Amino acid sequence: MGASGPGNSPPLEAWSCGYCGKSDSFCAQGLTTHSLTVHDYQLMLNRGWVRSGKYLYKATMPVTCCPTYPMRCHVLDFQASRSQRQVLKRMRKYLTMEGTSGKPAAEVSSEPQTLSRCEEGAGEGRGELELNQTGNHFPLDPTQPWPGECESYGNVLERRLIVGVLLGWERGGGDDTDSSIQARHKTRAAQPTSPARVSPAPARACPPPRAPRPRPSHTESFEQLMSGSTEPAQQRLEVKLLKLCPPSPELQTSFRESYNVYKRYQMHVHKDTEEMASEAEYRRFFCSTPLLGEEPVDGPDTGYGSFIEQFLLDGKIIALGLLDILPEGINSQYLCYDPAYSFLSLGVYSALREIALTQRLHKKAPRMKYYYLGPYVHSCIKVKYKLQYQPAELLCPVTGRWVFAEKCLSKLEESKYTRLYEREDADVVSGLSDEDLWFFRNFLDALSPSPSASLQTEEAMLVVSQEDLVSTHSSQGWWRQHSCLARFLSCCCVTCRRRETQS
């Protein structure tokens, strides 16, 4: 598919927005593709295009109701957050049946799919006060001794004073004060004691100090967390990657079960009607792709293309993921799951598995180092969870440069559509159109250092051939002003023509 110039741009369309709910307010350019290489789609993905089945569209950012900013995570620098670690441990406990008493999925209480920063600490320290860093928790019951102390009246008095202040004397009815406690202590000490009370009582040994509770380990690497527990699993979780083009035979045999999972998810979670969650819609959105599968020698062992990711628990499909494996990483398209297993936070769990998969594939295909999270809409609360996958970048709609998300949030608070990349390339910016500027910066990215000179040249030639610079985007001949670049482009174009002739 060649680049589209001013005369053959895809038409502007408008439809109901899935983010704000307004009708005929989401404006985009769209086209239907029947055949597309993964390299072509990688370039389009880095320019803001989104795939829905065989239909590709790009939001018209200045005029659409909800501007969508493509988002990606650097998987090589990814560190799982506390809530994400909890999701992995919850899955581990469920598979080993720890804490579930062997209950089936339907009987286990549901938990929220994601935890906000405020909710991460909710429920901790309830009924006890954590005072040290060794894991010991001091009880708030004044009738119990402090760890490692002898049970003397003075200690009891001191303990009641401290705990009483902390609790506001709720347990004593609210009438005790420091002075009243001390007065009772003096009165009791002044009372005469009978001979019977003078007899020595058997000495009470100081209770041995309690062993410190083991604190959760945060030294485990993300790879170790994903590898699972060393304990024998009572339930077996299997994840299958089934290629869509050419279609894997297992897709046909498991079609009915997969569709039922999709239908239950759409109707229970998104409140779709049966018509909206029809089999035809499932085939269009989930089972069709224009991407041609490739298995190059120097590529990942999975190959490139579109895949359906099946999550099977003891042979039963409980979740389905749709993803594209591309030269620069994995593009997460969609996930649906059986609502009966929502307590396992399968949305978070599947994303962490796909990040781990990208890290593994990077070892053989070094260019694969990004996890694409799809469009980010700052005004939509439903997609704010994507900010939990750090470090993340957003694509600037003006310059086509990736910018770290943390630097963009303040700008997006001020305006829903804004330029994210601020730095200019002073030597080429003046007099360039947006299309020329976009191409030039992507061309510079292609010339960035890479493991091999041949790969670097191939990337640069790919940009030249796909964007069709000389014939379409350079009507003003701006690149001729830079002799070094002009000579390089001429060499690339000559090489491309030679290859076409030889083929």
Side-chain angles (χ1 to χ4, degrees), residues 149-151 202-208:
E149 290 186 357
C150 296
E151 183 66 14
R204 293 184 60 181
C206 294

Side-chain angles (χ1 to χ4, degrees), residues 278-342:
S278 65
E279 182 177 317
E281 176 62 16
Y282 173 70
R283 289 183 182 275
R284 182 204 69 82
F285 174 66
F286 229 87
C287 301
S288 61
T289 178
L291 301 188
L292 302 175
E294 297 182 19
E295 296 185 4
V297 177
D298 57 347
D301 52 12
T302 58
Y304 295 127
S306 298
F307 295 80
I308 287 183
E309 191 178 29
Q310 290 185 347
F311 293 79
L312 297 94
L313 184 64
D314 290 338
K316 174 187 176 182
I317 299 177
I318 63 171
L320 295 169
L322 179 62
L323 52 90
D324 301 322
I325 298 182
L326 303 173
E328 294 183 11
I330 289 181
N331 178 38
S332 177
Q333 289 280 112
Y334 200 70
L335 179 96
C336 60
Y337 55 83
D338 189 332
Y341 295 88
S342 60

Side-chain angles (χ1 to χ4, degrees), residues 139 146 159 262 334 347 353 371 429 432:
W146 292 85
R159 183 158 37 81
Y262 168 83
Y334 200 70
R353 284 197 66 110
Y371 179 64
V429 166
L432 296 186

